[in-house]
Amino acid sequence: MERIGIDEFRRLDLRIAEIREARLHPNAERLVVLRVDLGEEERELVAGIRGAYEPAELVGKQIVVVANLAPARIRGVESQGMLLAASDENGVPVLLVPEKRVRAGARVS
């Protein structure tokens, strides 16, 4: 993968978001639709984490999101950001979460 400079990295607006609501995507077997609190606003995100997490267990969880990603329509639902996750040895998504609770909207640097 190509290396980027610090100025390019600084262009990413990484924030802590708290999941307020989670539901299965109506038109996709692998997607979940999340309503997240970014401190000053709420947004909807579409994430490919279905099967790894049940919607009910996601509510209240804090996650890391790319807040300044251009919105994208994913299977008919607009996603207004992207959550960050890694994959375990079996390819199952694992959410990146803060070690301790912090305020929603806190900047990640």
Side-chain angles (χ1 to χ4, degrees), residues 1 11 16-17 19 33 36 76 78-79 96-97 102 106:
M1 184 160 291
R11 291 181 57 205
I16 299 299
I19 300 172
V33 180
V36 300
E78 184 176 77
S79 185
L96 298 185
V97 299
V102 294

Side-chain angles (χ1 to χ4, degrees), residues 18-75:
E18 184 168 334
I19 300 172
R20 296 289 187 208
E21 180 183 315
R23 66 184 191 280
L24 300 178
H25 191 294
N27 301 318
E29 293 180 13
R30 296 179 27 198
L31 301 177
V32 175
V33 180
L34 306 172
R35 166 81 39 201
V36 300
D37 178 3
L38 280 167
E40 295 179 8
E41 65 177 312
E42 287 195 1
R43 293 191 190 173
E44 199 163 77
L45 308 178
V46 177
I49 58 172
R50 190 169 174 174
Y53 296 92
E54 290 296 323
E57 74 180 290
L58 292 167
V59 176
K61 187 177 287 289
Q62 289 191 315
I63 57 174
V64 179
V65 301
V66 181
N68 63 336
L69 190 66
R73 201 158 228 19
I74 302 174
R75 296 278 182 107

